[in-house]
């Protein structure tokens, strides 16, 4: 086996290693974001629409990739707004559940369970175990919403 490997030119070995590294980088970026197997964030919902009347599904033809997640948009105006201010419109914690992030956990979300807090979109799990947005709101009454965001932000910082 060693004799076979030693006959492979050094340039070929270097190219193989470079390709391996480049193939790992996108999967790492994707793991930071809550995306489907096609790399789509927010289950295809338009991130800008959350700041309007209600979340709307985006179109695959109207998309934009930001920090490893591809977002789809309802219209070109929303896509341009996102391109201008992606930090404003991209969901907190890479689109993972804000409630779970209080414990540093990455949990899938229901894109229709969300809350805009200080101009940022926080999304939540809503399924078999209940709607974590309700838990968030209840805890925010006992503490403050700001303290919850600070805790979740600190946990998210350890995830990167």
């Amino acid at each position: 086996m060693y004799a076979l490997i030693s006959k492979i030119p050094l340039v070929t070995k270097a190219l193989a290693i470079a390709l391996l590294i480049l193939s790992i980088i996108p999967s790492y970026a994707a793991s930071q974001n809550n995306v489907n197997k096609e790399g789509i964030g927010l289950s295809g919902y338009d991130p800008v629409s959350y700041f309007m009347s209600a979340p709307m599904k985006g179109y695959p033809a109207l998309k934009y990739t930001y920090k490893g997640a591809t977002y789809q948009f309802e219209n070109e105006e929303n896509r341009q707004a996102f391109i201008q201010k992606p930090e404003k419109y991209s969901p907190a914690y890479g689109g993972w559940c804000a409630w779970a992030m209080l414990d540093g956990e990455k949990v899938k979300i229901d894109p229709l369970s969300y809350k805009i807090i200080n101009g940022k979109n926080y999304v939540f799990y809503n399924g078999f175990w209940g709607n974590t947005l309700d838990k968030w709101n209840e805890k925010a009454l006992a503490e403050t919403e700001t303290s919850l965001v600070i805790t979740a932000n600190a946990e998210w910082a350890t995830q990167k």
Side-chain angles (χ1 to χ4, degrees):
M1 181 70 144
Y2 176 76
L4 180 62
I5 293 173
S6 66
K7 291 181 181 182
I8 297 173
L10 184 57
V11 172
T12 305
K13 290 177 191 175
L15 181 59
I17 291 169
L19 288 173
L20 176 65
I21 291 169
L22 289 174
S23 70
I24 292 170
I25 292 171
S27 63
Y28 174 76
S31 71
Q32 290 300 321
N33 293 300
N34 183 6
V35 296
N36 66 17
K37 55 188 166 185
E38 289 83 31
I40 306 296
L42 292 174
S43 300
Y45 279 83
D46 177 342
V48 176
S49 69
Y50 284 83
F51 294 84
M52 300 171 145
S53 58
M56 301 293 290
K57 274 286 201 176
Y59 295 101
L62 293 172
K63 61 187 176 183
Y64 183 76
T65 301
Y66 177 71
K67 290 189 175 180
T70 299
Y71 298 102
Q72 297 178 342
F73 300 89
E74 179 187 17
N75 55 53
E76 182 61 23
E77 292 80 18
N78 286 6
R79 191 174 89 84
Q80 289 302 317
F82 185 91
I83 290 169
Q84 294 297 314
K85 295 182 180 177
E87 282 296 324
K88 174 182 179 177
Y89 295 114
S90 58
Y93 317 125
W96 298 103
C97 175
W99 173 258
M101 194 52 62
L102 290 171
D103 294 323
E105 297 177 11
K106 292 180 178 175
V107 173
K108 299 277 184 186
I109 54 97
D110 172 353
L112 299 178
S113 181
Y114 72 100
K115 185 172 189 176
I116 305 296
I117 304 168
N118 295 325
K120 190 72 178 164
N121 183 14
Y122 294 81
V123 288
F124 298 86
Y125 167 86
N126 184 15
F128 181 80
W129 303 107
N131 190 341
T132 59
L133 173 57
D134 296 336
K135 294 176 182 181
W136 177 279
N137 287 335
E138 185 177 317
K139 190 166 185 160
L141 290 175
E143 298 177 22
T144 66
E145 202 143 58
T146 300
S147 69
L148 297 181
V149 169
I150 289 170
T151 300
N153 286 349
E155 289 294 335
W156 177 244
T158 68
Q159 300 289 316
K160 296 183 175 182

